[in-house]
Structure formats: structure tokens, C-alpha cells
Amino acid sequence: MAMQEKIIEAVAKVAKRKTSEVRLDSSFEQLGMDSLDRVCLLFELEQAFNISIPEEAVQDIQTVQDVVSRLGKHMAGQAPAPSGSPS
Amino acid sequence: MRRVVITGLGVVTATGCTIADFFAQLLEGRAGTRRIQNLEPALAEQLNCKIAAEVLCFDPSQHFDAKELDQLDRFSQFAVVAAKQALEDAGRGEFSEEEQNRLGVCVGTAYGGIETLDSSYFSLYRKNASRLSPLVLPRLMYNAAACQVSMRFRARGPTLAPSTACSSGAHAIGEAMRFIQHGQADWMLAGGSDAPITYGVIRAWEAMRVLAPENGDAARACRPFSADRRGIVIGEGAAVLLLEEYEVARKRGARIYAELAGYGANSDASHITQPSVEGPARAMQLALDAAGLNPEEVDYINAHGTATRVNDVVETRAIKQVFGARAGKIPVSSTKSMHGHVMGASGAIELVATVEALRRGVLPPTANYSKPDPDCDLDYVPNQAREQKVRAALSNSFAFGGLNAVLVVKQV
């Protein structure tokens, strides 16, 4: 999955780990990531996907899996709305 | 009032990245001013100024891991490494938890994380980047170096970062001294750090028309007090000294290099770039008074000596005003001829040179001195180091904005 791989790459880059050391159930705490690393991760993800990630989309993220699901939801929500949907 | 002594020294400069290398090169009168190597060639090409005193003896990866480097602008890297040297030199070993509360940090800087700022603005304005890394801010802030030193060595005492242009390092050491004098700290890691060799900073200095134009003869470009002087060579680097309360140092049997005996700080309050004679003279007098010294006891002055037309004449007049008939008998040298003008680190680097001169009894020369200037008629220790006993010495720093800071060291 391209998206999941990109996220793992971003986490690995910020945590200064090998991608093989980053698993979906890894928590930021286990990876030694602090609150500054968390904002650095969001920056890397914005760069990687060329999107803007508002804070409310990523509240309470604790694990890599949290990022994958929240980001997936956020990006789906950003997709152009189908025609005829209520405004 | 409690007394303050200097028990540890650390430097990162264009003339050496250990105290031994640094002072040996100064005594040789060998300049570290060279053709610029670390700027992106496409940018360097657009500069009129092609020379600087770059630190080439420093490999960041030897001191920091990748994660640390992400958070450290070059000026913070310099400061942390210089502080580490100072602590090792002092042979202090680990500080206990309680002692850490009595260890403070004061690292001055003129430019802070300007390299980070310069490169991020370049990507925003020139490359139309849509966002900046969250690490830009913690890297560029002016107190970053002081904080990084504090964190690295668990210094939980008073920690601050004076920014007073070219007097920053001297102000930092003088203010740090006060924390110990007044009982708020027993140790202070004090000094200055700057890494200002960026495209934007050099362009700004070019506009001031005070940079030495000798691109073809970099090693001879900076000639303080010489009649043929043409201006400043910008440098980068840091110096940090461990200041220690005298009784604390004595009880642990520390090797004491010198007493930091006096500090004079004032302002010209007249012009943003043109220095006055009265301001610097009064700062020297304040420092002597604070040290309880009379002019006869001063055996060496490490000058601000930028090699601009104006500074060197004004500084000469100020020295004469303070020392009167004795002025011509006091050796005065400017080591900026060799390590360059390291902006906010200059005052600290030059105090280290002054302390080394005092403890070893040998004066570093003014390099590249070739021709007497009738308006600069003191003994500038031209080109050759000189053995001489030093009882007490001054280190002068005079900044743009008219902010003067003078430090006095003496034998204990």
C-alpha cells in the first residue's frame, strides 16, 4: 500500500529508525518520539502527500496505525465532493 | 563581593578547534582567513566578497548524531562543542543534581540561527516552498545555543543569551560574572557563538562598505592598525569559558587560569554605526575601576581592532585617553587579523586569547601589520609574538549601536 509505506517512511525519517523497525502498532512513545517529533512527522506527511493537515484531523494520534487511519479519513474527506451532494 | 575565576577554556575557530591549536596559530601570526568554501558556489559567485574566516577544523558528525543535528543550527553546534571543551579542560567531572542548579549558561550571539533563517527564507521566497519545517524555529532562535548548552550539560542555573552585535560575547561573560558575584550561581558556562557566513549576511556587510576587498590575498586581507588597512574579514566560531567562584575552585584544587576581575559596560548613545572615543574610554575606565586596578598595572590590551578606518583610530584615542602617558608602553594587539571578526563570538574568543597570553606570558601579535599610521601610534605587537609577563590585561569589544563591553583579567 503506497500510502502506508509513505507514512512508515516519514515516521522512520523523523524517528531516525530503519523502516523495518517501524510497525503499524508501534507507538510514538516506543519509537522515542516526543511532541516536537510529532509536529515534524506532520510536516513530513504534508510534504510527502502535498496536503495540508489541520490539527483536528490528527488529534490524539498515538501509533502509526492511528496516523494511517486518520490520514486516510482526512484525505478521503478532501476528495472532490460527488455532484449533487448537499452543500 | 564573591570573586570569579576562569578554570576552563573552549574554542571553535578558523585558527583552531582546540585551545592548543588556536593559541599556537595566533602566536605564529598565521591568519585563518581564506577563500570561502562552504557557500553554495552559485551564490558565492554573486558575491563581491570572496573571503572569510571559515571554521574548517570542525566536523559536526563527530560531535552529534543525526537527530541532534536536525535541531542544531551551526552556531549552536559551535557553542555546545566549545562548552564541552571548557568543562573537560576544567577537569570538573560530573555535576551533582544540586550543583546543576548552581551551574548557569550565558552565550551571546549577534546572528543566532541565521543560516537556518537564510536557507528557509530562500526556500520560501525563491523556491516558493509551501511550508517550513517545524525545526526552523527552535534552530534559529537567538537563545538556541544557550539552551542547547544548558540541556547538554544539565545546567539548571540562570541561562540567557545577550545579543549586542559585536559585543555579545563580552557582555555574556560580564553578565555571567555578575551571577557568580551576587551568589546566584557558582559556575557559569559563558561565551559567544556565531555562524554568520551566509549569502544574505555577506551581502548586507558588503553594503556597509567595510569588508576587506583583498580577494586574491585572503591571508593578508585583515590588517588592523596598519596604515594600509581596508576593513573586516567576517569569521565564524565560538568560545566558551568556565567561570567559577574563587573559593569553590580553590577547594577542589582547580587549575586557575586567571581572575575575571572587572567588567565595564556602557553605551555611546550617539550613533548607530559611528563609534565615539568617550564611550569606549569610559567603558575601559569602568572595567579598571571594577577590578580595582590602576593603569600602571595593565600589561596588555587585546583590542577590538576591526581594521576599519574608523574603529582603529577611535580605539587608539580611547586607549590614550584612559592610560595617558602609559598608553604607548602597553602592548595592544588585534587577533581579528587571524580569526576574523566573529561578530557575537569575538569578545569571547579574544578573552580566551587574552587569558592564554596572561597565563603563558606571551602576547599574540597583530598579524599583517605593514605600515605605521600616524593616527594609530601605539605598540601593536606587529607580526611577531612577544614574551612578556602580564599581571593584568584588558579585552575590548565595541559594537555597532555604540554598545561597549570591556573585560579585565588578572593573575590570581
Side-chain angles (χ1 to χ4, degrees):
Chain A
M1 256 182 124
M3 178 178 162
Q4 194 170 303
E5 275 163 18
K6 272 189 178 175
I7 290 172
I8 286 175
E9 259 171 37
V11 172
K13 182 174 176 188
V14 171
K16 302 283 186 265
R17 305 274 187 142
K18 294 186 187 113
T19 48
S20 58
E21 294 174 281
V22 179
R23 299 176 355 192
L24 276 178
D25 62 353
S26 304
S27 70
F28 297 149
E29 201 183 339
Q30 285 165 347
L31 293 167
M33 291 169 65
D34 59 20
S35 59
L36 180 57
D37 294 324
R38 182 184 173 281
V39 288
C40 287
L41 174 63
L42 296 176
F43 164 75
E44 292 296 341
L45 294 170
E46 287 186 328
Q47 291 283 81
F49 294 103
N50 196 22
I51 53 171
S52 172
I53 306 173
E55 193 51 38
E56 56 268 24
V58 285
Q59 261 170 9
D60 306 323
I61 49 167
Q62 308 280 350
T63 64
V64 178
Q65 179 61 59
D66 288 347
V67 178
V68 173
S69 48
R70 296 295 186 82
L71 210 58
K73 209 181 279 176
H74 172 66
M75 288 168 74
Q78 279 204 329
S83 60
S85 64
S87 56
Chain B
M1 191 121 66
R2 301 185 347 143
R3 292 168 70 188
V4 180
V5 293
I6 296 164
T7 56
L9 305 172
V11 285
V12 176
T13 70
T15 43
C17 291
T18 65
I19 290 293
D21 288 352
F22 165 73
F23 200 63
Q25 184 161 343
L26 293 194
L27 291 186
E28 284 173 37
R30 192 155 48 87
T33 50
R34 308 175 188 90
R35 208 157 171 92
I36 294 173
Q37 298 184 22
N38 291 337
L39 272 184
E40 204 181 301
L43 288 175
E45 230 167 69
Q46 295 172 53
L47 294 170
N48 291 322
C49 169
K50 308 288 186 198
I51 57 175
E54 285 179 317
V55 173
L56 302 178
C57 48
F58 180 79
D59 175 5
S61 69
Q62 284 196 344
H63 304 283
F64 304 101
D65 65 28
K67 177 126 193 165
E68 290 167 331
L69 283 176
D70 275 354
Q71 296 190 15
L72 292 162
D73 183 273
R74 191 165 167 86
F75 96 110
S76 294
Q77 296 171 24
F78 288 163
V80 168
V81 170
K84 184 163 177 269
Q85 280 179 35
L87 282 170
E88 285 169 2
D89 184 44
R92 240 304 320 212
E94 289 286 300
F95 286 77
S96 71
E97 290 266 326
E98 207 173 305
E99 287 173 334
Q100 286 167 358
N101 294 331
R102 306 282 299 163
L103 169 64
V105 179
C106 195
V107 179
T109 182
Y111 290 95
I114 193 77
E115 204 167 85
T116 297
L117 189 70
D118 200 71
S119 60
S120 3
Y121 280 7
F122 182 81
S123 68
L124 268 186
Y125 297 149
R126 178 79 79 93
K127 294 183 173 165
N128 295 317
S130 51
R131 58 184 69 84
L132 289 180
S133 159
L135 294 173
V136 168
L137 201 70
R139 285 171 63 114
L140 76 80
M141 55 195 199
Y142 282 68
N143 58 335
C147 299
Q148 295 291 351
V149 170
S150 159
M151 292 188 297
R152 172 70 63 127
F153 304 107
R154 302 244 159 247
R156 295 204 193 83
T159 293
L160 68 161
S163 186
T164 51
C166 305
S167 293
S168 306
H171 275 125
I173 293 163
E175 295 304 317
M177 172 188 179
R178 291 193 209 273
F179 283 112
I180 297 177
Q181 284 179 327
H182 294 280
Q184 287 145 354
D186 291 327
W187 303 270
M188 292 291 296
L189 284 162
S193 188
D194 254 320
I197 304 176
T198 68
Y199 179 69
V201 170
I202 295 175
R203 285 297 292 264
W205 276 97
E206 283 179 350
M208 298 294 300
R209 297 173 185 269
V210 291
L211 294 184
E214 284 85 350
N215 288 328
D217 194 5
R220 290 208 63 256
C222 184
R223 300 185 292 277
F225 302 109
S226 188
D228 60 352
R229 66 188 180 280
R230 301 282 302 274
I232 290 170
V233 176
I234 299 175
E236 62 173 356
V240 173
L241 301 85
L242 183 68
L243 311 184
E244 192 163 356
E245 197 276 327
Y246 174 62
E247 291 298 333
V248 171
R250 209 177 49 84
K251 271 181 205 141
R252 76 172 175 94
R255 174 189 50 191
I256 294 172
Y257 290 138
E259 176 167 1
L260 183 56
Y263 166 45
N266 72 349
S267 174
D268 291 355
S270 58
H271 193 280
I272 194 67
T273 55
Q274 168 88 32
S276 76
V277 173
E278 287 66 32
R282 198 160 52 86
M284 283 186 259
Q285 190 60 57
L286 287 167
L288 287 174
D289 293 348
L293 289 175
N294 63 57
E296 280 68 42
E297 294 170 277
V298 174
D299 293 320
Y300 172 60
I301 299 174
N302 187 296
H304 185 56
T306 56
T308 61
R309 296 305 311 171
V310 174
N311 174 83
D312 294 4
V313 173
V314 166
E315 186 167 11
T316 297
R317 286 186 190 147
I319 289 170
K320 287 180 175 176
Q321 193 165 310
V322 175
F323 291 92
R326 184 168 159 74
K329 298 198 180 73
I330 304 173
V332 176
S333 71
S334 168
T335 48
K336 281 192 179 75
S337 51
M338 295 173 275
H339 52 63
H341 193 343
V342 197
M343 306 293 156
S346 280
I349 291 170
E350 290 158 22
L351 186 70
V352 168
T354 308
V355 168
E356 284 292 279
L358 179 128
R359 80 179 185 101
R360 297 192 196 197
V362 53
L363 310 179
T366 300
N368 301 325
Y369 185 91
S370 70
K371 228 192 222 167
D373 174 346
D375 292 325
C376 297
D377 53 356
L378 300 175
D379 170 8
Y380 301 109
V381 197
N383 303 318
Q384 298 285 331
R386 186 187 301 166
E387 284 191 16
Q388 184 184 308
K389 184 171 164 51
V390 178
R391 291 164 297 167
L394 260 62
S395 176
N396 284 343
S397 295
F398 311 132
F400 272 180
L403 307 188
N404 311 305
V406 176
L407 298 165
V408 179
V409 287
K410 68 172 192 184
Q411 299 275 358
V412 175

